[in-house]
């Protein structure tokens, strides 16, 4: 059964929920749907989600990384804007019925490339402890593996697809409402990315503080564990989808 809000229809992912055996994702999606319904007048004026994902977000992140040696505060603002746009692209896709298979693959791909770039910079240039460097390396390696499983395909091919979508963001086929894909990010993956983002922002603003670096290391470690859980969930979704197509 679909759940209808005033301005757009949100379809629960029944197959995915069945695989996970948890109501957490469903509750999260319900609350997100209500919030986006309230913001739908704003969402209708947002750019195409693929433009936000493949053009705007990387540009904001690149500016932020370039500014970090000069002004950590300004750099953090650009990184924060990039993170905010990570929600805007999904809201634009759902509210404006512009959800595409390419967008579902590119959104986590861009997430991981951006965070990997920041973590590499912080680990090499600003970290003072080996623990943070190891946690950053594990996080990047786990993300690289997680991005290559499910329906997302090899990283090289995803890079090529990113170039195609960046060049022609409107040329992607709209996905049918409610269709589940193991390429989609799940709640564990979203929490993982949030923890990574918090750790990155903390290190950008206060990396010379030992307590902040320790807290960031713990945050990255928890994020890596959640990443593993998210991978297992998406592989379960892929298995059930494969069986349902037989």
């Amino acid at each position: 059964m679909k759940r209808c809000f005033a301005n757009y229809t949100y379809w629960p992912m029944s197959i995915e929920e069945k695989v996970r055996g948890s109501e957490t994702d469903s509750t999260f999606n319900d609350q997100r749907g209500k919030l986006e319904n309230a913001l739908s007048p704003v969402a209708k004026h947002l750019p195409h989600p693929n433009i936000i994902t493949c053009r705007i977000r990387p540009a904001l992140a690149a500016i932020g990384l370039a500014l970090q040696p000069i002004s950590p505060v300004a750099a953090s603002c650009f990184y924060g804007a990039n993170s905010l746009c990570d929600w805007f692209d999904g809201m634009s896709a759902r509210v404006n019925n512009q959800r595409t298979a390419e967008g579902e693959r590119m959104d986590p791909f861009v997430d991981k490339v951006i965070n990997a770039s920041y973590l590499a910079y912080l680990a090499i240039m600003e970290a003072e402890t080996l623990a943070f460097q190891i946690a950053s390396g594990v996080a990047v390696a786990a993300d690289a593996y997680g991005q290559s499983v499910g329906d997302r395909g090899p990283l090289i091919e995803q890079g090529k697809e990113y170039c195609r979508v960046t060049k022609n963001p409107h040329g992607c086929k709209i996905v049918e409402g409610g269709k589940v894909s193991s390429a989609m990010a799940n709640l564990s993956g979203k929490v993982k990315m949030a923890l990574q983002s918090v750790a990155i922002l903390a290190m950008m603003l206060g990396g010379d503080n030992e307590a902040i670096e320790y807290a960031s290391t713990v945050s990255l470690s928890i994020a890596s564990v959640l990443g593993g859980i998210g991978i297992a969930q998406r592989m379960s979704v892929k298995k059930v989808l494969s069986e349902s197509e037989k």
Side-chain angles (χ1 to χ4, degrees):
M1 181 182 295
K2 62 184 179 180
R3 301 167 190 156
C4 298
F5 298 106
N7 296 309
Y8 74 101
T9 302
Y10 174 76
W11 295 75
M13 301 171 193
S14 56
I15 296 177
E16 196 173 13
E17 291 168 0
K18 180 181 177 181
V19 172
R20 294 173 184 169
S22 171
E23 296 182 355
T24 306
D25 278 23
S26 178
T27 302
F28 169 78
N29 288 332
D30 284 345
Q31 297 303 316
R32 182 182 64 185
K34 292 176 182 178
L35 176 60
E36 291 177 352
N37 179 63
L39 295 175
S40 60
V42 176
K44 293 181 183 300
H45 297 286
L46 290 173
H48 191 283
N50 290 344
I51 292 178
I52 300 175
T53 300
C54 296
R55 294 182 181 178
I56 297 176
R57 289 191 58 208
L60 291 170
I63 295 171
L65 197 57
L67 286 175
Q68 178 61 19
I70 304 170
S71 173
V73 174
S76 298
C77 289
F78 276 95
Y79 178 79
N82 146 72
S83 298
L84 185 61
C85 285
D86 188 23
W87 175 44
F88 283 160
D89 59 8
M91 182 168 66
S92 175
R94 288 181 289 270
V95 174
N96 300 320
N97 192 30
Q98 294 177 325
R99 181 181 153 209
T100 64
E102 291 87 349
E104 287 175 358
R105 289 190 293 270
M106 290 301 98
D107 183 67
F109 177 77
V110 170
D111 284 342
K112 292 176 175 64
V113 170
I114 289 174
N115 278 9
S117 300
Y118 274 80
L119 287 173
Y121 174 85
L122 293 170
I124 295 171
M125 302 300 295
E126 300 197 10
E128 297 181 358
T129 65
L130 180 61
F132 180 83
Q133 294 172 334
I134 293 175
S136 296
V138 170
V140 171
D143 280 352
Y145 174 73
Q147 187 62 28
S148 64
V149 300
D151 290 338
R152 293 173 179 173
L155 293 177
I156 295 295
E157 294 304 315
Q158 291 183 57
K160 294 178 181 177
E161 184 174 46
Y162 168 80
C163 294
R164 291 194 294 270
V165 176
T166 302
K167 182 178 180 180
N168 184 20
H170 298 279
C172 303
K173 185 178 180 181
I174 301 297
V175 172
E176 178 185 352
K179 185 176 180 181
V180 180
S181 166
S182 63
M184 297 171 65
N186 49 44
L187 185 57
S188 293
K190 294 178 186 300
V191 175
K192 178 207 69 175
M193 293 306 297
L195 287 172
Q196 281 190 5
S197 297
V198 169
I200 289 171
L201 281 171
M203 284 295 293
M204 291 174 72
L205 293 170
D208 55 347
N209 183 290
E210 184 177 347
I212 289 179
E213 186 163 339
Y214 174 78
S216 298
T217 301
V218 173
S219 182
L220 287 178
S221 300
I222 296 174
S224 294
V225 173
L226 288 174
I229 294 173
I231 292 171
Q233 289 175 335
R234 284 195 293 107
M235 293 306 294
S236 296
V237 173
K238 183 178 182 180
K239 181 179 179 180
V240 169
L241 290 176
S242 298
E243 292 174 351
S244 67
E245 292 174 355
K246 292 180 181 179

